[in-house]
Amino acid sequence: MSDYRDLLPVAEEAARRASETMRRRLPGALTVKGDRDVASELDYAIERELRAFLLKETPEIGFLGEEEGRVGTAEMQWVLDPIDGTANFIRGLPLCAVSLALVHENEAVLGVIELPFLGSRFTAAHSDGAYANGQRIRASSTSRLRDAIVGLGDYAVGPEAGTRNRLRLALTAQLAAEVQRVRMTGSAALDLAWLAEGRLDAALTLSNHAWDMAAGVVIAREAGAAVIDQDGQIHDVASTVTLAVAPLLAEAVLATYHRAASAATDNR
């Protein structure tokens, strides 16, 4: 498919439906997925509703949802996190999002992020720029770490959380010594949307899945941000670390990450 923009109306309608459902319904019963990891009844309901809608509108495109997995082809598929920031949502915190992407051959090519309680919709399609509520947005021009506001993904929970958090804690300490402020919102989609809009200067997530990152990655990239992995390579759907950064800060943030990784290894 050469013009992914043609599918934006379908994606926006799907995200609108999910956002409306989040605003008018309570989370419902909780399902324990693991240590300190839960999904709400509404996570499942939204995923099922959007899966049915998208498969009806675009039957040739597969679907991957966080809660119930894959349906159809993997070559081109919709990738959905029905509620990114479920822990926030069930506590009534407004920092949560609907994150829907179109992924084609391991590359995110279209994304829609809805922030239902903040009144924002972010959209992007490959080579078409990034938008917030229909207005073009750009990543920040911040060039010094000391001036940067950096969003950091959640600490790990579940098996081996202590081991996995060594790097997160080392990175937190390194950032605290170098940047203006560190923020942890609890929603990777929101972090990436705010990075694309220039509210944040970096959004760093150290373990992720396609449904967490795909929509935000294409929106950030279309807004001019650098989106790389821990090796400085171009980020794709298979990447396990996401370093999304205002373009003038990419080299400095990558160096900070590597210093933190060395410190975490030394402290084993």
Side-chain angles (χ1 to χ4, degrees):
M1 178 173 294
S2 59
D3 195 348
Y4 301 104
R5 291 174 297 180
D6 292 345
L7 290 170
L8 258 177
V10 174
E12 290 188 72
E13 173 60 17
R16 185 199 66 77
R17 292 182 179 208
S19 184
E20 181 179 324
T21 299
M22 286 176 67
R23 285 193 295 266
R24 66 181 171 80
R25 289 179 56 181
L26 295 174
L30 302 181
T31 299
V32 176
K33 298 165 64 176
D35 174 38
R36 293 169 286 169
D37 185 16
V38 299
S40 73
E41 184 178 335
L42 207 58
D43 284 89
Y44 290 98
I46 290 172
E47 183 167 317
R48 289 165 185 164
E49 178 188 359
L50 265 60
R51 180 179 63 208
F53 170 76
L54 291 167
L55 291 178
K56 176 177 180 290
E57 295 294 318
T58 57
E60 73 281 7
I61 299 176
F63 178 89
L64 173 64
E66 177 180 8
E67 307 306 339
E68 295 187 330
R70 178 177 285 114
V71 176
T73 179
E75 179 183 355
M76 181 178 287
Q77 59 185 349
W78 296 107
V79 178
L80 173 71
D81 190 338
I83 303 177
D84 185 58
T86 297
N88 288 346
F89 176 65
I90 63 179
R91 293 296 188 97
L93 299 174
L95 303 181
C96 47
V98 179
S99 179
L100 177 65
L102 180 66
V103 172
H104 188 191
E105 294 180 344
N106 218 36
E107 180 186 1
V109 294
L110 179 152
V112 177
I113 291 174
E114 285 262 0
L115 308 181
F117 305 107
L118 299 179
S120 297
R121 174 185 292 170
F122 298 83
T123 62
H126 182 68
S127 298
D128 193 43
Y131 299 83
N133 294 335
Q135 299 298 310
R136 187 74 178 261
I137 55 174
R138 296 291 297 177
S140 85
S141 58
T142 300
S143 61
R144 300 189 304 173
L145 278 180
R146 64 181 296 172
D147 299 325
I149 305 292
V150 177
L152 185 61
D154 278 343
Y155 295 124
V157 297
E160 305 298 325
T163 299
R164 294 163 61 206
N165 278 328
R166 288 193 187 114
L167 176 54
R168 290 164 173 78
L169 292 167
L171 183 57
T172 301
Q174 198 72 47
L175 290 169
E178 297 180 7
V179 307
Q180 187 179 110
R181 292 291 188 274
V182 179
R183 299 287 181 251
M184 186 178 285
T185 68
S187 168
L190 181 147
D191 285 351
L192 288 164
W194 280 358
L195 167 77
E197 199 175 20
R199 293 174 182 248
L200 296 175
D201 301 299
L204 315 180
T205 307
L206 303 193
S207 62
N208 42 235
H209 303 283
W211 49 78
D212 297 315
M213 313 307 299
V217 163
V218 67
I219 292 168
R221 190 168 281 149
E222 288 295 318
V227 189
I228 55 178
D229 65 15
Q230 68 271 31
D231 299 316
Q233 301 300 307
I234 295 173
H235 183 283
D236 64 24
V237 174
S239 299
T240 58
V241 168
T242 304
L243 307 178
V245 192
L248 297 178
L249 287 174
E251 186 175 334
V253 168
L254 185 60
T256 297
Y257 173 87
H258 286 153
R259 285 193 292 274
S262 295
T265 300
D266 292 344
N267 290 333
R268 284 183 181 174

